[in-house]
Every structure is written in C-alpha cells, then in structure tokens.
Amino acid sequence: MSEVRSVDRVVIRFAGDSGDGMQLTGDRFTSDTAQLGNDFSTLPNFPAEIRAPAGTVAGVSSFQVHFADFDIRTPGDRPDVLVVMNPAALKANLHDLPRGAVILADTADFSNRNLAKVGYTSNPLEDGSLDAYEVHAIDLTGLAVAAVAPFGLGRKDAARTKNMFALGLLTWLYSRPEQGTLDFLARKFASKPGIRDANMAAFRAGHAYGETTEVFTVRYQVAAAPTPAGTYRQITGNTALAYGLMAGAAKAGLQLFLGAYPITPASDVLHLLSRAKDHGVITFQAEDEIAAVGAALGASYAGALGVTSTSGPGMALKMETISLAVMLELPLVICDVQRAGPATGLPTKTEQADLFQAIYGRHGEAPLPVIAAQSPGDCFDAAVEATRIALTYRTPVILLSDGYLGNGAEPWAVPNLADLPAIDPGFVTEPPADGPFLPYSRDEKLARPLAIPGTPGLEHRVGGLEKAHGTGNVSYDPDNHEHMVRLRQAKIDGIAADLPPLEVEDPGGNARVLVIGWGSSYGPISAATRRVRLSGRSVATVHLRHLNPLPSDLGDILRRYDRVIVPEMNLGQLAFILRGKYLVNCESYSRVRGLPISLSELAEDLIALIDEQVRVDEQVRVDEQAPIDGHTRIDSKDAS
C-alpha cells in the first residue's frame, strides 16, 4: 500500500500534441481540484494553428495547474510533475523542470521516427540524460487501448482515451475525487454511448493502475485552502469579464449589446454572451472589427450599454470609431484581451503591450479612461467598474485583460448582485423648463446629458465634426475647438478625484524599494515579493487598476522610495509613462516571451537589487563617517 504524504502545493503540467486532449485533461483536473477546496491558478498554452504538425515542438499544447492549501497568485514557474505524451512535449518543456521533478512519459510515441523529428539521437527515457529527474516511463496508450478493448473502438479512437487514463492516474496520485470527471464524461458524450463508456473505462483504469502498480510508493494529498464563507466556482478571465458586463448592465437597468468579431484570445466573450439571450443580452457577430464597434456605438446612442470585445489587431481597426465616441461623448466599453504582437504575432500567447495603444492610439486629442484587470476573477470587478465610468462620465472606456487572464482560471467567490452598487445612466427624459435642451451642457463631473433619440423635445445633433459648447452644433471656431479639447481632457482628468486611495503593501513601513505593476503582472509581483519578504528583506508593492487617469496619490507614493521597479510584459510602457509624468526614475523590468513573468526570476532579481541597495547605503554611511584631512567628521546635530 502506498504511503500518503501531505504537501502544501503542487504544480503539474500536462503536455502533448494539440490533438492529445491536454487542455481537457488539465481543465478536468482543475475542476476536481476546485471541488476539494484547494486554491489554484492555471495556465493553458497552445499553438495558434487549429491542428499543428503532429510530433513537432511547434505543435505542443500544454496545461499547467498550480494548487495549494494556501492563497496562491500564479500558475507557478517550474512544474513538480510533467506529464508528456511524446518526445516533442518532453523537448518543449524539459528546460522548465527543477532537479528532482517527476516526469510521467507515455512510451508509445517515443519511436525512432518521433525522436528524430525533434532532434533526439537517442531515447532520453533510456540513455541516462534524465537521471536528474524521477522518470516513470509507462505505455499509457497501450494500457488505455487494452482498457477500452471491450467497446469495439477503432485503434485511433481507442488511443485517444490515453488522456483519460493519464487523468485517472494523476487523480489517484494526488487524491482527487473521481465522480466529477465521471459525471462530466457522461454529460459530454451522452449522445455517443460507446465513446462515453470507453473514456470512463480508461479513466477508471488509470486510477486502478495507480492503486495496484508498485511504481508509485507515495501518493499525495493537498488540504483545502482557508477561504471566507461564500459560494465559489472555477472561473476563467473571459467568463468573469462576460459576467461583469452583464452585471454592470443590470445595475444600470440597461440592455447589454455586444458587437464583436471573433479574434483570439477574446472570442470566448462573444461565445459566452451569445448564450445569455434569456438575460436580455443581444450579441451581434459583425463582418469585421469596424462594423462591430460601429454597431456597439450605435447601441449606446440608442440607450443600451454598447460593448465591443477584441484583441490588439482589432483595437487598431476600431480606433476611428472609438475617436468618434470620444467626440460624441457616448458611453462605450471596449474590452481588449491582449496578445503578443505586432501584426499576427503570437496569437495564442500573452502580452501587456497594448498600453500605449490604449492611452494614445487615436488621432487628435482623444482622451479616454483605461483600466486593467489583475486576475481572472478580477475581470468581473473591472468590467463593472468600466461600465460605471463609461455611463457616469459619458465616455468610451478601454478595459485591458490579456491571454493569460482570459484563458487562465482561479476560484471565484460568486457575488450577490444586490450587493453591487447601483449605476445611474442619468438619461434626460423631459425637456428643460427654462429653455432649449443643450446636449453638450455639463454636470459637476463635466459629463453631458444623455437623451435617447426620439424623445420629444430632446432632439439634438450628433456627428464627428467639432461641437459648439452647449448646443452641440457644428463649429469651426478656433477658440471653441480649444475650449472643447481642454474640456474633454478635464473630464477624464477629473475621474481621478473619484478613485479610492491606492493601497501600498509595505509591512513594517521601512522598505526602500517599491515594485509597481498593472494588469496580470499582479500575480507574479505579489508572489515574488512574498518570497522576498520571507527571506527577511523588505519590499513594498502597489498595483494599478486605473491607468488613465492615474490615481491622484501615485506621485507622492513613488517619491517615498529610493528605487521603483516596474515589471511588465512589454518593453517598459508603464515605466515610460510614469517617468514622464512624475519625473521619477522608474526602472523597467521587461519580459516579452509570450508567457507570464517568472515569479522565481523576479524574486531572485529583487533580492539581488535590495542587497545591492543595502551595500550602497552602508558605503554611504561609512563615507560620511570617514575622517577629513585628519579630523573626525562631526555631524551638525552633534556640534553642540
């Protein structure tokens, strides 16, 4: 009987060809992990091609899940367990493994042909090159085919159940519940009883193999993480984003209209909202990105909440219409699920490189608010906040997510809709008693009134030409143009007064180094700085949701620290903005690999930086106390 050992955290990566079902396998393992109450974070990673060349490194698809009995912030850097279905998967992922990691390899595809295809001159499972790891070479495919033999499947369909065999084995090895996956398979293949029963049999066989083989002398268990009371579910960033848009519209009492064109990695927002017709959601899959944003803006003009979702290339196409929304001063939410560029770039990989585009990417002076989500679950709150700002200030708002957040998953406490603050769209319904309706008059927030077209007495002109102050009539007057340009900028700048104070995490209050981030860098930064503090060093952190305008207290916070480090997945865009606005030497920590920032690398670099700062401070102290021309230095405070 195997020993059962408790551990506090595990990182598992499933890797194989894009047709091997690694995303499904990882997702199922994650769902069963959620059922146990572990905290978790996931990182799906897959090729851009629908069916990449089989057996090649470029065609490897992987799914990583990090689960623990405490609050975790990232999917982890270095897997404790790597499950590989072929030599290409091993080649693509081996460099990420720490010494002593477990490799579970399906030997069926380690043929001479497949080895040669990825550059192996000998079988790494047999030549000793993997002696630094705990290797379990098992014919997963053969065992799965044998387990499903009674169901009469062809060889190809039978071999496809190997992922379920592997999932059953890992379910046993890490003490996950079985019933959730069995119920899932029953639902998924309800119309194909033979496929259903075969996959269930392969899953059970993998679990039984773990119980009966003598290969594994230890199995593991990870206790549930402590969490506040509430209802929790597994959620991806794109799902949370869709729910947040629905919640924002509901709190404003408006119909949600999504105009979108499918684009990786944002398409799931369209897919999810298209299934919400029973909640009054209207979705329009347009012929292109320009038509999509145009329809969304038209919906806002008509009195709905207009939303469009896209990624970086689509943002570029939408910019003219977004500029029109700035001129019209109409609410519009633009969701940018960022991916690696430029051009088509790495469409299935993540990046944070659209910040300049979001803040500056329009023609003319066309300011608008930009906010960013920091985790998959936080995409919900960010969407509600984007809706609030858009409706309150009558402005388009760009909401930045990215591929890591959109596809990644974590536990999410399901909020009570009644607990969310109401959003007042503030429509004018009656003409003023003291004169004509002025569509470009202003309230205390410099927001203009909104009137639904066709409302008697509230007829008004809209269009892309410059507006006369108050009336909204077309105006070419130079002074009026400057007044309106400055007025639109002042409206956006004024949003900063409506933002809560920033929360600076600085335990002890004696840190000399501040790490500032935005968007999905939150996870790596918080995990890395936790590790730095556990090493006995001090470091402060602050994370930005609002990127335009920046919070009012940010400048004072930056100036409190000797060094400011800005980790982001671009070449230093936020660092550039902060240096220009606050004249503070913000140091860029840049990574553009199509993957989240490595928390281990960041922690090591921060430790080295902090230690360097301590050495510099010590040298300054020594220099200040050194004799001058044979005389002892006397501080002025001691001169008396």
Side-chain angles (χ1 to χ4, degrees):
M1 184 174 179
S2 300
E3 172 194 352
V4 178
R5 185 177 301 169
S6 294
V7 292
D8 63 352
R9 54 171 292 277
V10 180
V11 179
I12 299 177
R13 183 181 298 175
F14 301 90
D17 269 336
S18 56
D20 284 339
M22 295 297 94
Q23 302 302 320
L24 175 63
T25 305
D27 187 67
R28 282 311 317 157
F29 190 91
T30 302
S31 295
D32 294 336
T33 293
Q35 184 178 337
L36 273 183
N38 298 133
D39 195 17
F40 63 87
S41 179
T42 70
L43 178 63
N45 195 349
F46 40 84
E49 293 80 8
I50 293 175
R51 186 66 173 94
T56 65
V57 171
V60 172
S61 174
S62 67
F63 188 105
Q64 183 163 303
V65 55
H66 180 192
F67 58 104
D69 64 3
F70 61 93
D71 174 32
I72 57 174
R73 307 292 173 82
T74 77
D77 289 341
R78 314 189 66 166
D80 303 298
V81 181
L82 174 63
V83 181
V84 295
M85 296 298 183
N86 59 16
L90 179 64
K91 186 92 168 184
N93 293 282
L94 185 60
H95 64 281
D96 288 338
L97 293 190
R99 293 178 64 87
V102 174
I103 298 175
L104 176 60
D106 182 3
T107 60
D109 273 347
F110 277 74
S111 64
N112 290 335
R113 180 174 179 272
N114 286 338
L115 290 166
K117 189 180 292 187
V118 294
Y120 282 124
T121 57
S122 61
N123 190 338
L125 301 180
E126 301 171 353
D127 63 11
S129 61
L130 301 179
D131 285 350
Y133 311 99
E134 180 185 332
V135 179
H136 299 285
I138 303 170
D139 185 5
L140 299 175
T141 300
L143 291 168
V145 169
V148 303
F151 301 96
L153 301 181
R155 170 72 188 184
K156 186 175 181 179
D157 285 338
R160 284 176 174 166
T161 65
K162 63 185 177 183
N163 67 324
M164 286 297 107
F165 188 95
L167 178 59
L169 174 55
L170 268 294
T171 297
W172 172 82
L173 187 60
Y174 287 95
S175 308
R176 309 289 94 182
E178 298 174 69
Q179 196 58 46
T181 292
L182 293 172
D183 291 344
F184 167 81
L185 292 172
R187 293 192 304 271
K188 181 176 178 62
F189 298 112
S191 62
K192 301 176 181 178
I195 299 295
R196 176 199 63 202
D197 295 343
N199 277 277
M200 293 172 74
F203 176 78
R204 289 191 177 106
H207 196 279
Y209 179 83
E211 288 182 323
T212 57
T213 185
E214 297 181 358
V215 171
F216 302 99
T217 58
V218 178
R219 65 185 300 206
Y220 303 90
Q221 62 182 13
V222 180
T227 54
T231 300
Y232 289 81
R233 59 156 289 173
Q234 174 186 348
I235 200 164
T236 66
N238 280 340
T239 301
L241 181 58
Y243 289 172
L245 294 169
M246 293 171 61
K251 297 306 294 187
L254 301 180
Q255 185 168 55
L256 174 61
F257 177 96
L258 176 76
Y261 181 78
I263 183 171
T264 301
S267 298
D268 280 346
V269 179
L270 172 60
H271 300 159
L272 289 158
L273 289 177
S274 69
R275 297 197 291 268
K277 295 181 178 63
D278 56 335
H279 293 283
V281 176
I282 296 177
T283 54
F284 169 57
Q285 181 175 321
E287 66 270 25
D288 56 41
E289 296 280 6
I290 299 172
V293 69
L297 183 58
S300 285
Y301 179 56
L305 174 63
V307 178
T308 189
S309 56
T310 189
S311 190
M315 282 288 289
L317 293 167
K318 293 179 188 292
M319 281 303 184
E320 183 178 4
T321 302
I322 295 173
S323 292
L324 175 61
V326 172
M327 175 63 78
L328 297 179
E329 299 187 54
L330 284 173
L332 178 68
V333 178
I334 306 104
C335 304
D336 178 9
V337 187
Q338 301 165 93
R339 71 190 207 189
T344 306
L346 303 174
T348 60
K349 311 301 180 184
T350 194
E351 206 161 87
Q352 289 180 290
D354 291 354
L355 182 58
F356 279 171
Q357 179 179 225
I359 294 179
Y360 305 119
R362 292 157 299 285
H363 61 285
E365 296 288 346
L368 53 71
V370 178
I371 70 173
Q374 67 183 31
S375 70
D378 185 57
C379 288
F380 177 91
D381 297 316
V384 174
E385 173 69 349
T387 301
R388 182 191 71 82
I389 292 176
L391 291 168
T392 301
Y393 289 89
R394 321 290 199 252
T395 178
V397 177
I398 292 178
L399 167 56
L400 296 175
S401 176
D402 60 43
Y404 164 40
L405 299 185
N407 293 321
E410 66 179 0
W412 179 59
V414 179
N416 185 339
L417 187 63
D419 294 337
L420 299 177
I423 300 172
D424 182 8
F427 288 115
V428 181
T429 58
E430 299 289 341
D434 55 352
F437 173 58
L438 298 177
Y440 283 84
S441 58
R442 306 285 159 177
D443 64 13
E444 69 281 358
K445 297 183 182 296
L446 300 181
R448 78 173 186 89
L450 290 180
I452 297 176
T455 305
L458 301 179
E459 296 84 0
H460 59 284
R461 180 194 301 268
V462 297
L465 294 171
E466 182 59 279
K467 306 285 176 282
H469 175 57
T471 66
N473 295 331
V474 174
S475 174
Y476 293 97
D477 179 71
D479 292 336
N480 178 79
H481 177 57
E482 177 151 357
H483 177 75
M484 294 299 287
V485 166
R486 294 186 182 278
L487 192 64
R488 288 188 288 264
Q489 183 65 59
K491 179 176 71 170
I492 303 306
D493 291 343
I495 296 173
D498 196 24
L499 304 180
L502 284 170
E503 295 182 8
V504 180
E505 187 177 356
D506 185 3
N510 59 347
R512 308 288 299 279
V513 174
L514 173 70
V515 183
I516 182 170
W518 68 277
S520 65
S521 64
Y522 170 78
I525 288 172
S526 58
T529 52
R530 175 193 286 170
R531 189 172 296 183
V532 170
R533 291 175 186 131
L534 288 173
S535 74
R537 296 164 176 86
S538 296
V539 64
T541 60
V542 66
H543 206 77
L544 301 179
R545 177 189 295 286
H546 298 89
L547 299 164
N548 193 47
L550 291 164
S552 301
D553 54 348
L554 179 57
D556 291 338
I557 291 170
L558 295 178
R559 296 183 190 100
R560 293 207 301 257
Y561 296 88
D562 295 332
R563 300 184 73 171
V564 178
I565 312 299
V566 191
E568 47 187 333
M569 292 185 290
N570 56 50
L571 293 182
Q573 295 183 17
L574 178 62
F576 180 89
I577 292 169
L578 296 180
R579 283 195 295 264
K581 183 172 179 62
Y582 299 109
L583 302 181
V584 171
N585 183 27
C586 298
E587 303 173 48
S588 175
Y589 185 93
S590 175
R591 296 293 185 272
V592 278
R593 302 174 57 239
L595 295 168
I597 293 170
S598 164
L599 77 93
S600 299
E601 280 185 18
L602 179 56
E604 291 169 5
D605 292 340
L606 287 173
I607 287 171
L609 184 150
I610 292 168
D611 289 349
E612 176 192 357
Q613 187 69 43
V614 169
R615 287 192 296 270
V616 170
D617 292 345
E618 178 63 20
Q619 187 60 51
V620 170
R621 187 185 68 81
V622 170
D623 290 345
E624 288 177 346
Q625 295 179 353
I628 302 177
D629 297 331
H631 299 282
T632 302
R633 182 188 296 273
I634 300 176
D635 291 338
S636 59
K637 67 181 180 181
D638 298 324
S640 60

PDB file of all heavy atoms in Angstrom, residues 456-476:
ATOM      1  N   PRO A 456     -39.386  63.259 -27.248  1.00  0.00           N
ATOM      2  CA  PRO A 456     -39.932  64.579 -27.631  1.00  0.00           C
ATOM      3  C   PRO A 456     -39.251  65.716 -26.873  1.00  0.00           C
ATOM      4  O   PRO A 456     -39.067  65.636 -25.653  1.00  0.00           O
ATOM      5  CB  PRO A 456     -41.414  64.470 -27.266  1.00  0.00           C
ATOM      6  CG  PRO A 456     -41.707  63.006 -27.310  1.00  0.00           C
ATOM      7  CD  PRO A 456     -40.451  62.330 -26.827  1.00  0.00           C
ATOM      8  N   GLY A 457     -38.889  66.764 -27.611  1.00  0.00           N
ATOM      9  CA  GLY A 457     -38.281  67.935 -27.015  1.00  0.00           C
ATOM     10  C   GLY A 457     -36.794  67.819 -26.748  1.00  0.00           C
ATOM     11  O   GLY A 457     -36.164  68.773 -26.289  1.00  0.00           O
ATOM     12  N   LEU A 458     -36.222  66.629 -27.000  1.00  0.00           N
ATOM     13  CA  LEU A 458     -34.792  66.416 -26.722  1.00  0.00           C
ATOM     14  C   LEU A 458     -34.016  66.100 -27.999  1.00  0.00           C
ATOM     15  O   LEU A 458     -32.964  65.466 -27.965  1.00  0.00           O
ATOM     16  CB  LEU A 458     -34.606  65.285 -25.700  1.00  0.00           C
ATOM     17  CG  LEU A 458     -35.280  65.495 -24.340  1.00  0.00           C
ATOM     18  CD1 LEU A 458     -35.050  64.301 -23.428  1.00  0.00           C
ATOM     19  CD2 LEU A 458     -34.775  66.786 -23.676  1.00  0.00           C
ATOM     20  N   GLU A 459     -34.562  66.526 -29.142  1.00  0.00           N
ATOM     21  CA  GLU A 459     -33.878  66.293 -30.396  1.00  0.00           C
ATOM     22  C   GLU A 459     -32.544  67.045 -30.398  1.00  0.00           C
ATOM     23  O   GLU A 459     -32.444  68.164 -29.895  1.00  0.00           O
ATOM     24  CB  GLU A 459     -34.731  66.778 -31.577  1.00  0.00           C
ATOM     25  CG  GLU A 459     -36.047  66.027 -31.750  1.00  0.00           C
ATOM     26  CD  GLU A 459     -37.173  66.565 -30.864  1.00  0.00           C
ATOM     27  OE1 GLU A 459     -36.910  67.542 -30.113  1.00  0.00           O
ATOM     28  OE2 GLU A 459     -38.289  66.022 -30.909  1.00  0.00           O
ATOM     29  N   HIS A 460     -31.490  66.417 -30.942  1.00  0.00           N
ATOM     30  CA  HIS A 460     -30.183  67.071 -30.962  1.00  0.00           C
ATOM     31  C   HIS A 460     -29.325  66.480 -32.074  1.00  0.00           C
ATOM     32  O   HIS A 460     -29.635  65.429 -32.636  1.00  0.00           O
ATOM     33  CB  HIS A 460     -29.468  66.914 -29.617  1.00  0.00           C
ATOM     34  CG  HIS A 460     -29.240  65.491 -29.195  1.00  0.00           C
ATOM     35  ND1 HIS A 460     -30.241  64.696 -28.696  1.00  0.00           N
ATOM     36  CD2 HIS A 460     -28.121  64.729 -29.196  1.00  0.00           C
ATOM     37  CE1 HIS A 460     -29.756  63.495 -28.394  1.00  0.00           C
ATOM     38  NE2 HIS A 460     -28.469  63.489 -28.704  1.00  0.00           N
ATOM     39  N   ARG A 461     -28.247  67.183 -32.379  1.00  0.00           N
ATOM     40  CA  ARG A 461     -27.353  66.810 -33.469  1.00  0.00           C
ATOM     41  C   ARG A 461     -26.178  65.982 -32.932  1.00  0.00           C
ATOM     42  O   ARG A 461     -25.631  66.284 -31.868  1.00  0.00           O
ATOM     43  CB  ARG A 461     -26.804  68.082 -34.126  1.00  0.00           C
ATOM     44  CG  ARG A 461     -25.857  67.850 -35.296  1.00  0.00           C
ATOM     45  CD  ARG A 461     -25.115  69.140 -35.634  1.00  0.00           C
ATOM     46  NE  ARG A 461     -26.033  70.221 -35.978  1.00  0.00           N
ATOM     47  CZ  ARG A 461     -26.426  70.501 -37.227  1.00  0.00           C
ATOM     48  NH1 ARG A 461     -25.987  69.775 -38.232  1.00  0.00           N
ATOM     49  NH2 ARG A 461     -27.259  71.496 -37.460  1.00  0.00           N
ATOM     50  N   VAL A 462     -25.793  64.921 -33.659  1.00  0.00           N
ATOM     51  CA  VAL A 462     -24.564  64.189 -33.351  1.00  0.00           C
ATOM     52  C   VAL A 462     -23.763  64.045 -34.645  1.00  0.00           C
ATOM     53  O   VAL A 462     -24.302  64.181 -35.746  1.00  0.00           O
ATOM     54  CB  VAL A 462     -24.828  62.792 -32.741  1.00  0.00           C
ATOM     55  CG1 VAL A 462     -25.538  62.906 -31.410  1.00  0.00           C
ATOM     56  CG2 VAL A 462     -25.602  61.910 -33.701  1.00  0.00           C
ATOM     57  N   GLY A 463     -22.496  63.738 -34.494  1.00  0.00           N
ATOM     58  CA  GLY A 463     -21.629  63.574 -35.652  1.00  0.00           C
ATOM     59  C   GLY A 463     -20.185  63.739 -35.242  1.00  0.00           C
ATOM     60  O   GLY A 463     -19.877  64.050 -34.086  1.00  0.00           O
ATOM     61  N   GLY A 464     -19.286  63.544 -36.190  1.00  0.00           N
ATOM     62  CA  GLY A 464     -17.863  63.581 -35.885  1.00  0.00           C
ATOM     63  C   GLY A 464     -17.240  64.954 -35.956  1.00  0.00           C
ATOM     64  O   GLY A 464     -16.077  65.116 -35.564  1.00  0.00           O
ATOM     65  N   LEU A 465     -17.948  65.949 -36.450  1.00  0.00           N
ATOM     66  CA  LEU A 465     -17.400  67.294 -36.509  1.00  0.00           C
ATOM     67  C   LEU A 465     -17.420  67.946 -35.128  1.00  0.00           C
ATOM     68  O   LEU A 465     -18.214  67.567 -34.265  1.00  0.00           O
ATOM     69  CB  LEU A 465     -18.184  68.136 -37.509  1.00  0.00           C
ATOM     70  CG  LEU A 465     -18.071  67.685 -38.982  1.00  0.00           C
ATOM     71  CD1 LEU A 465     -19.047  68.450 -39.856  1.00  0.00           C
ATOM     72  CD2 LEU A 465     -16.638  67.861 -39.489  1.00  0.00           C
ATOM     73  N   GLU A 466     -16.531  68.908 -34.939  1.00  0.00           N
ATOM     74  CA  GLU A 466     -16.423  69.546 -33.633  1.00  0.00           C
ATOM     75  C   GLU A 466     -17.743  70.180 -33.215  1.00  0.00           C
ATOM     76  O   GLU A 466     -18.486  70.723 -34.028  1.00  0.00           O
ATOM     77  CB  GLU A 466     -15.330  70.621 -33.670  1.00  0.00           C
ATOM     78  CG  GLU A 466     -15.083  71.322 -32.340  1.00  0.00           C
ATOM     79  CD  GLU A 466     -14.672  70.364 -31.227  1.00  0.00           C
ATOM     80  OE1 GLU A 466     -15.552  69.700 -30.624  1.00  0.00           O
ATOM     81  OE2 GLU A 466     -13.454  70.265 -30.980  1.00  0.00           O
ATOM     82  N   LYS A 467     -18.005  70.069 -31.911  1.00  0.00           N
ATOM     83  CA  LYS A 467     -19.263  70.545 -31.346  1.00  0.00           C
ATOM     84  C   LYS A 467     -19.111  71.945 -30.759  1.00  0.00           C
ATOM     85  O   LYS A 467     -18.111  72.248 -30.104  1.00  0.00           O
ATOM     86  CB  LYS A 467     -19.720  69.594 -30.235  1.00  0.00           C
ATOM     87  CG  LYS A 467     -19.821  68.143 -30.672  1.00  0.00           C
ATOM     88  CD  LYS A 467     -21.043  67.940 -31.529  1.00  0.00           C
ATOM     89  CE  LYS A 467     -21.108  66.523 -32.045  1.00  0.00           C
ATOM     90  NZ  LYS A 467     -20.192  66.279 -33.175  1.00  0.00           N
ATOM     91  N   ALA A 468     -20.112  72.746 -30.960  1.00  0.00           N
ATOM     92  CA  ALA A 468     -20.163  74.020 -30.240  1.00  0.00           C
ATOM     93  C   ALA A 468     -20.501  73.744 -28.783  1.00  0.00           C
ATOM     94  O   ALA A 468     -21.342  72.898 -28.471  1.00  0.00           O
ATOM     95  CB  ALA A 468     -21.204  74.943 -30.859  1.00  0.00           C
ATOM     96  N   HIS A 469     -19.821  74.425 -27.881  1.00  0.00           N
ATOM     97  CA  HIS A 469     -20.069  74.245 -26.456  1.00  0.00           C
ATOM     98  C   HIS A 469     -21.548  74.486 -26.148  1.00  0.00           C
ATOM     99  O   HIS A 469     -22.144  75.474 -26.572  1.00  0.00           O
ATOM    100  CB  HIS A 469     -19.213  75.223 -25.656  1.00  0.00           C
ATOM    101  CG  HIS A 469     -19.481  75.195 -24.191  1.00  0.00           C
ATOM    102  ND1 HIS A 469     -19.376  74.056 -23.437  1.00  0.00           N
ATOM    103  CD2 HIS A 469     -19.863  76.178 -23.329  1.00  0.00           C
ATOM    104  CE1 HIS A 469     -19.673  74.319 -22.191  1.00  0.00           C
ATOM    105  NE2 HIS A 469     -19.977  75.617 -22.086  1.00  0.00           N
ATOM    106  N   GLY A 470     -22.154  73.543 -25.446  1.00  0.00           N
ATOM    107  CA  GLY A 470     -23.551  73.684 -25.036  1.00  0.00           C
ATOM    108  C   GLY A 470     -24.513  73.143 -26.066  1.00  0.00           C
ATOM    109  O   GLY A 470     -25.185  72.146 -25.836  1.00  0.00           O
ATOM    110  N   THR A 471     -24.562  73.766 -27.251  1.00  0.00           N
ATOM    111  CA  THR A 471     -25.589  73.389 -28.229  1.00  0.00           C
ATOM    112  C   THR A 471     -25.254  72.108 -28.976  1.00  0.00           C
ATOM    113  O   THR A 471     -26.152  71.384 -29.407  1.00  0.00           O
ATOM    114  CB  THR A 471     -25.775  74.513 -29.254  1.00  0.00           C
ATOM    115  OG1 THR A 471     -24.577  74.657 -30.035  1.00  0.00           O
ATOM    116  CG2 THR A 471     -26.110  75.819 -28.567  1.00  0.00           C
ATOM    117  N   GLY A 472     -23.980  71.845 -29.170  1.00  0.00           N
ATOM    118  CA  GLY A 472     -23.604  70.694 -29.976  1.00  0.00           C
ATOM    119  C   GLY A 472     -23.665  70.945 -31.461  1.00  0.00           C
ATOM    120  O   GLY A 472     -23.461  70.016 -32.262  1.00  0.00           O
ATOM    121  N   ASN A 473     -23.945  72.165 -31.873  1.00  0.00           N
ATOM    122  CA  ASN A 473     -23.941  72.482 -33.293  1.00  0.00           C
ATOM    123  C   ASN A 473     -22.525  72.380 -33.855  1.00  0.00           C
ATOM    124  O   ASN A 473     -21.536  72.500 -33.119  1.00  0.00           O
ATOM    125  CB  ASN A 473     -24.484  73.895 -33.525  1.00  0.00           C
ATOM    126  CG  ASN A 473     -25.946  74.011 -33.136  1.00  0.00           C
ATOM    127  OD1 ASN A 473     -26.697  73.037 -33.204  1.00  0.00           O
ATOM    128  ND2 ASN A 473     -26.363  75.206 -32.715  1.00  0.00           N
ATOM    129  N   VAL A 474     -22.410  72.176 -35.169  1.00  0.00           N
ATOM    130  CA  VAL A 474     -21.100  72.119 -35.797  1.00  0.00           C
ATOM    131  C   VAL A 474     -20.406  73.470 -35.646  1.00  0.00           C
ATOM    132  O   VAL A 474     -21.003  74.531 -35.871  1.00  0.00           O
ATOM    133  CB  VAL A 474     -21.222  71.753 -37.295  1.00  0.00           C
ATOM    134  CG1 VAL A 474     -19.865  71.841 -37.988  1.00  0.00           C
ATOM    135  CG2 VAL A 474     -21.809  70.352 -37.443  1.00  0.00           C
ATOM    136  N   SER A 475     -19.130  73.432 -35.243  1.00  0.00           N
ATOM    137  CA  SER A 475     -18.392  74.669 -35.038  1.00  0.00           C
ATOM    138  C   SER A 475     -16.960  74.522 -35.538  1.00  0.00           C
ATOM    139  O   SER A 475     -16.272  73.550 -35.201  1.00  0.00           O
ATOM    140  CB  SER A 475     -18.364  75.047 -33.552  1.00  0.00           C
ATOM    141  OG  SER A 475     -17.535  76.162 -33.333  1.00  0.00           O
ATOM    142  N   TYR A 476     -16.541  75.514 -36.330  1.00  0.00           N
ATOM    143  CA  TYR A 476     -15.161  75.581 -36.787  1.00  0.00           C
ATOM    144  C   TYR A 476     -14.391  76.705 -36.087  1.00  0.00           C
ATOM    145  O   TYR A 476     -13.281  77.041 -36.476  1.00  0.00           O
ATOM    146  CB  TYR A 476     -15.121  75.811 -38.305  1.00  0.00           C
ATOM    147  CG  TYR A 476     -15.652  74.632 -39.100  1.00  0.00           C
ATOM    148  CD1 TYR A 476     -16.965  74.611 -39.554  1.00  0.00           C
ATOM    149  CD2 TYR A 476     -14.839  73.539 -39.368  1.00  0.00           C
ATOM    150  CE1 TYR A 476     -17.459  73.537 -40.267  1.00  0.00           C
ATOM    151  CE2 TYR A 476     -15.321  72.447 -40.092  1.00  0.00           C
ATOM    152  CZ  TYR A 476     -16.629  72.452 -40.540  1.00  0.00           C
ATOM    153  OH  TYR A 476     -17.109  71.383 -41.250  1.00  0.00           O
TER     154      TYR A 476
END
